[in-house]
Amino acid sequence: MADEIKTLSAELARDPQSLVFLRLADLLRQRGQLDAAHRVALNGLERHPHLADAHDLYARILADKRDYERAFDEWDMARRIAPGHMGALKGLAFLYFKVGDVAQAVAHLEEAERVAPDDFTIQQALAMVRGQPMGSAAARPAGHAAALRPDAPPSPPVPEEPMAPPAGPLEDRRVFAGLEGAQEGLLLLDAAGRVLGGALRDWNGADVTEAVAAYLAGVSLEAGRTAKLLGFGAWTGLAAEGQLGHVHLAQPGPDALLLVVRDRSVPMGRLAIIAQRAAMAARRWLEQQA
Amino acid sequence: MTTRAVEAWTLQPLVKFTKEAEARLVLVMTSAGQVMAQHGFSRAVEVMSAAALGAAIIASTAAMAKELKQPPFAALTHQGERHGIFLAGFGTARGMLVVLVVYDLEVSSVGLVQLFFEQLVADLQAACPKEGVPKQVLAADFERELSDSLNTLFGR
Amino acid sequence: MTATGYARSLDLVTRVRGVRGAMIVSSDDGLVVAEHLMEGIKGSAVAALAASLANRLRRAMAAAGVGASVFWHLQGEQGALLVVPAASGIVVVAVAEPDVNVGLVRLELLRAAEAVR
């Protein structure tokens, strides 16, 4: 690889307009020489601003440097130049998956699949993403996101780890010991929407813990902003009546969020009492963890 | 997404606004289309086009308002399938500024953009230096000024 | 429905003790359709924020499998926001004191929502 880098560097020095910068920057990136790769890619991009591959390469380098915002812009640009650009579609899917937007990740991978129906790596990535509940990427090990990376080498399918959300029975016992519905209708989250304890199932018995958790962080932020801007002070609870069930959201601590879900037979007032008890249990548990 | 400013005093209010309104793209410019700050644009050419179009729309609607013997329109909004556009002008010690906002209908709304736009106007008016009105840009200097501004806006 | 009809529906909501204002809001764009507010309440802010929270809550409730929202209530230390989704794209909103009779406001909001359908 070192020899190839030397050769390509010499070639690029001879002809700065040459497209060998693509190969050279990628080799440097693969060797972990990210600053050098960055320089080469940027110089190349300045000379070839309408080359989708150059934007794709630059995005990969930025992603390796964990500059995801700019990587997004570059992949977005590559896609605008070449709408079916495989690297850009996979790159955008990778970034969406990383932030927990599974729907967008799937949409981009499906588009990539339409462009290259025989690409096994896309099918593998799609299978993996579809197997995840929405919003679960942040809680997953980095390896899962890595499998989605646009430059991920083809590999045999890896069996998905068992679907064991952090809200397993052990945590249920610890956080909500003795409380009604601890394993199916109580959920404790941190401020970022990560599950600390409890679990949620929908009426068909499906585990919806992580999907709900992903949305609740946004609800909580909006509730806080609304209360503040309307002069309500701090918000103390958000109760909602649904067509099939009731929910109550509370803040047992400054960085925690508690959700209680029950069917419509449980009156809202009783739900508030259940939530109050669960909040006390959660508060105790959070204090023990501190 | 990155937020960059040619004039430093515009940066903080713009960062705050984009966060609160969850805007996808924002341009702060003079009524002549000279860009002072931007958020979310990835290419200079896009900034140049958006600024030119935004300033032109403001100029045409101001002319229409004049024909109708009305004060200039406060704001223009357009709702597309996935995105909305909000365009409005306001006065500062440095003259009239124009703000162009593009927002994603899934995460924001014209109501939220309008709400936080009022705050943005107040913040920019408060932060705007009272002295040192920018000099008239002569045609000869225009290209260099534009190039300098774009370099600043894209961190080069 | 006419502007007078909206005003009458909102008037009944604001008659509940502790209610400081009522509004009809377009939930898609967060804009005021009709309002009946006490002085000091900024209608445009209530509309934008209530619509945004309603949209986020709707997605969370759909994910939890509890169906569309019929009524929701944000309780703050110094105030409360009570909301009933009405016809598609419309929500009826009440701004109230923190110790308001939630059950009574809910009833009036549901009536108002029925009227604007």
Side-chain angles (χ1 to χ4, degrees):
Chain A
M1 194 187 267
D3 282 350
E4 195 180 352
I5 288 175
K6 210 179 278 177
T7 312
L8 292 170
S9 301
E11 201 177 327
L12 189 61
R14 265 198 312 277
D15 177 10
Q17 286 292 343
S18 161
L19 293 181
V20 295
F21 80 92
L22 291 168
R23 175 76 186 139
L24 175 61
D26 201 35
L27 282 176
L28 290 165
R29 181 186 72 83
Q30 285 170 30
R31 279 172 62 114
Q33 292 172 254
L34 295 180
D35 288 337
H38 187 273
R39 273 196 303 276
V40 172
L42 197 57
N43 280 334
L45 196 56
E46 278 169 4
R47 288 174 194 276
H48 305 277
H50 302 298
L51 185 64
D53 283 344
H55 289 280
D56 175 40
L57 172 69
Y58 189 42
R60 287 184 194 202
I61 295 163
L62 291 168
D64 281 357
K65 295 179 102 173
R66 296 181 192 282
D67 187 348
Y68 297 124
E69 288 184 1
R70 288 171 67 198
F72 184 94
D73 290 343
E74 292 301 326
W75 270 319
D76 188 42
M77 181 53 64
R79 203 183 152 207
R80 284 196 226 176
I81 296 168
H85 194 282
M86 192 58 62
L89 289 169
K90 287 161 82 176
L92 290 168
F94 161 71
L95 292 179
Y96 278 121
F97 184 75
K98 263 196 92 66
V99 298
D101 191 340
V102 175
Q104 280 291 343
V106 167
H108 282 81
L109 286 172
E110 281 175 345
E111 205 175 325
E113 195 183 30
R114 278 194 289 277
V115 176
D118 298 328
D119 188 331
F120 175 67
T121 60
I122 298 169
Q123 291 161 14
Q124 189 185 351
L126 258 174
M128 194 202 82
V129 172
R130 283 179 177 143
Q132 305 266 339
M134 285 180 75
S136 64
R140 295 274 164 187
H144 281 71
L148 262 183
R149 290 191 52 125
D151 53 348
S155 56
V158 179
E160 186 63 18
E161 67 185 47
M163 284 291 293
L170 182 63
E171 279 82 358
D172 294 340
R173 279 201 296 276
R174 278 190 203 149
V175 185
F176 300 123
L179 289 177
E180 175 192 338
Q183 289 182 41
E184 53 197 26
L186 285 172
L187 193 58
L188 183 65
L189 311 172
D190 69 9
R194 286 184 293 248
V195 180
L196 295 172
L200 275 187
R201 293 189 184 282
D202 66 13
W203 308 130
N204 298 319
D207 189 325
V208 291
T209 307
E210 302 226 8
V212 175
Y215 286 112
L216 281 184
V219 173
S220 158
L221 281 174
E222 196 65 348
R225 175 165 85 163
T226 301
K228 185 181 155 203
L229 293 177
L230 298 185
F232 294 172
W235 70 281
T236 54
L238 176 60
E241 227 182 291
Q243 284 170 334
L244 303 171
H246 296 159
V247 300
H248 191 110
L249 195 62
Q251 281 186 300
D255 294 321
L257 203 57
L258 171 81
L259 179 74
V260 186
V261 181
R262 291 293 182 273
D263 64 47
R264 282 186 66 86
S265 68
V266 179
M268 295 292 282
R270 188 162 158 231
L271 188 63
I273 295 170
I274 296 171
Q276 215 171 12
R277 286 185 190 149
M280 279 167 63
R283 217 168 284 135
R284 276 197 300 273
W285 184 81
L286 288 166
E287 280 164 10
Q288 283 166 12
Q289 305 302 306
Chain B
M1 292 284 176
T2 44
T3 307
R4 290 186 186 275
V6 178
E7 301 227 11
W9 56 271
T10 59
L11 186 62
Q12 210 47 43
L14 182 57
V15 168
K16 187 174 149 196
F17 171 75
T18 50
K19 189 174 169 231
E20 293 281 21
E22 296 186 71
R24 188 185 168 100
L25 304 171
V26 187
L27 267 188
V28 180
M29 57 194 151
T30 64
S31 53
Q34 199 176 349
V35 180
M36 301 181 88
Q38 68 97 350
H39 167 84
F41 285 87
S42 51
R43 286 289 167 269
V45 67
E46 293 170 4
V47 169
M48 287 157 66
S49 319
L53 291 169
I57 293 169
I58 286 283
S60 354
T61 56
M64 280 169 72
K66 205 172 169 185
E67 288 292 316
L68 297 167
K69 298 187 174 34
Q70 295 288 314
F73 295 103
L76 293 156
T77 66
H78 178 78
Q79 192 158 307
E81 202 176 307
R82 290 172 55 203
H83 297 107
I85 296 171
F86 175 89
L87 184 67
F90 59 97
T92 69
R94 290 276 183 100
M96 187 190 174
L97 294 187
V98 174
V99 173
L100 169 69
V101 185
V102 178
Y103 56 94
D104 189 334
L105 297 174
E106 275 289 304
V107 295
S108 192
S109 66
V110 64
L112 279 180
V113 170
Q114 268 179 357
L115 175 64
F116 294 106
F117 175 73
E118 288 171 27
Q119 189 59 50
L120 173 68
V121 170
D123 289 348
L124 285 173
Q125 284 171 337
C128 180
K130 303 292 176 283
E131 287 167 11
V133 176
K135 62 180 169 43
Q136 281 294 111
V137 180
L138 301 172
D141 296 334
F142 181 75
E143 200 167 322
R144 186 176 49 77
E145 295 260 350
L146 178 68
S147 169
D148 288 351
S149 298
L150 291 172
N151 286 343
T152 308
L153 287 166
F154 289 93
R156 286 179 187 150
Chain C
M1 193 176 201
T2 61
T4 323
Y6 283 139
R8 198 179 308 123
S9 299
L10 294 179
D11 183 46
L12 291 171
V13 180
T14 55
R15 282 187 198 185
V16 178
R17 193 188 176 93
V19 171
R20 300 175 60 212
M23 309 174 70
I24 293 169
V25 170
S26 159
S27 59
D28 289 341
D29 47 23
L31 297 176
V32 180
V33 176
E35 62 184 9
H36 191 306
L37 301 170
M38 279 171 69
E39 211 170 313
I41 300 176
K42 196 176 169 196
S44 58
V46 176
L49 295 164
S52 178
L53 185 51
N55 288 330
R56 284 169 202 264
L57 191 59
R58 178 174 47 77
R59 288 180 207 133
M61 288 177 73
V66 294
S69 158
V70 177
F71 164 74
W72 59 264
H73 161 214
L74 174 69
Q75 183 67 47
E77 285 168 344
Q78 288 143 41
L81 191 68
L82 303 99
V83 177
V84 165
S88 106
I90 293 282
V91 289
V92 189
V93 180
V95 182
E97 301 290 344
D99 53 356
V100 72
N101 183 331
V102 174
L104 209 51
V105 182
R106 174 184 173 277
L107 216 57
E108 290 301 343
L109 285 174
L110 286 169
R111 278 186 192 142
E114 195 57 45
V116 299
R117 254 178 233 280

